[in-house]
Amino acid sequence: EVYVILKGMPELEKKLEEALKIKDVIIVPGNSQKNGLVLREMGKIISAKLKDIIKPKDIIGITGGSTMATVADEMTPSNKPYDVTVIPARGGLGKEVETQSNSIAAKISQKLGGNYRLLYVPDSLEKEALEMIAKNGEIKEAIELIDNMTILLFGLGRADIMANRRNLPKEKIDGLLKNGAVAEAFGHYFDIEGNEIWEYKTIGIRLNKYKEMEHIIGVAGGEEKAEAIIAISHLSSKMTLVTDESAAKKILEII
Ligand code: G3H
């Protein structure tokens, strides 16, 4: 199967913007979970979108995951360097280096010709240990950058899948699901109305900061992420969503 994208899906996009009450929706035909070409096309669109809004001195936060890793791969290198800083929006080291936010931040900044800062914070630390780490000079600087972030590019996922990927204890996962968690983004878990159920404690973007931001671009496709997309769309009407036809149709069935 080869997809040639000529002009997007304007009618479906408009319907979805209205249903999700968000600023902008871009839909790539097909199913990105089944067809790598669709996912790559989503990456290219994000790359174009990002270059459209970037201003000098922007601080671009990014998150991890396989979708964001593809976005980074598909980003077209710029011929003029951008005066921007790219930073992981949240700490947390996953097992697979190529899908970690640190690797993705480095790759995106290279493509843009900008700077990057890494954030080395392990995934499961107690409150006291996190407080200690936050005193470290480099981490302090990273926290300041995160607080002053001007653009956020993020992946979002299903609560159950992300909780398993993070190796949360079974009772914790059961509890989250019992409380209605369907979505995870930047370490926060939400129910379908966008109510926060739980936050995985680490260093990174706060929910209030997210809600205040002007430029937020979420990327997620595949019908299994439909509920997660609905949940995250409740958080801010300023979100631009880059998704696929399969998720779009499923969302319209549910809403
Ligand atoms: O927080 C959610 C993840 O970024 C989604 O990960 O792109 O591998 O599905 P994924």
Side-chain angles (χ1 to χ4, degrees), residues 137-230:
E138 262 178 61
I139 304 266
K140 243 189 180 155
E141 210 185 315
I143 294 174
E144 230 177 88
L145 284 168
I146 292 171
D147 286 342
N148 291 312
M149 200 188 285
T150 51
I151 299 175
L152 173 68
L153 223 56
F154 70 106
L156 54 116
R158 286 169 53 133
D160 54 349
I161 291 178
M162 296 310 293
N164 275 302
R165 220 191 266 178
R166 286 213 165 88
N167 286 324
L168 297 184
K170 188 176 178 305
E171 314 80 73
K172 181 75 215 173
I173 300 178
D174 291 346
L176 281 174
L177 301 181
K178 211 175 117 233
N179 287 327
V182 295
E184 190 270 2
F186 36 88
H188 293 70
Y189 289 76
F190 304 93
D191 69 15
I192 195 144
E193 306 280 335
N195 300 307
E196 188 181 17
I197 304 285
W198 185 62
E199 177 190 354
Y200 196 100
K201 286 272 170 279
T202 182
I203 283 167
I205 185 168
R206 292 162 300 111
L207 195 50
N208 284 344
K209 164 77 184 170
Y210 175 88
K211 291 182 177 172
E212 285 163 8
M213 287 186 72
E214 272 314 309
H215 297 298
I216 42 182
I217 306 177
V219 54
E223 60 178 22
E224 55 275 41
K225 285 196 183 177
E227 287 193 334
I229 295 171
I230 295 171

Side-chain angles (χ1 to χ4, degrees), residues 11 19 45 48 63 73 78 87 92 109 129 186 191 199 220 248 255:
E11 265 174 48
I45 287 172
T63 67
D73 283 340
S78 315
I87 182 155
S109 91
F186 36 88
D191 69 15
E199 177 190 354
I255 287 188

Side-chain angles (χ1 to χ4, degrees), residues 16-17 58 80-81 114 118 214 223:
L16 209 58
E17 280 163 16
D58 264 333
K80 60 167 174 90
L118 301 182
E214 272 314 309
E223 60 178 22

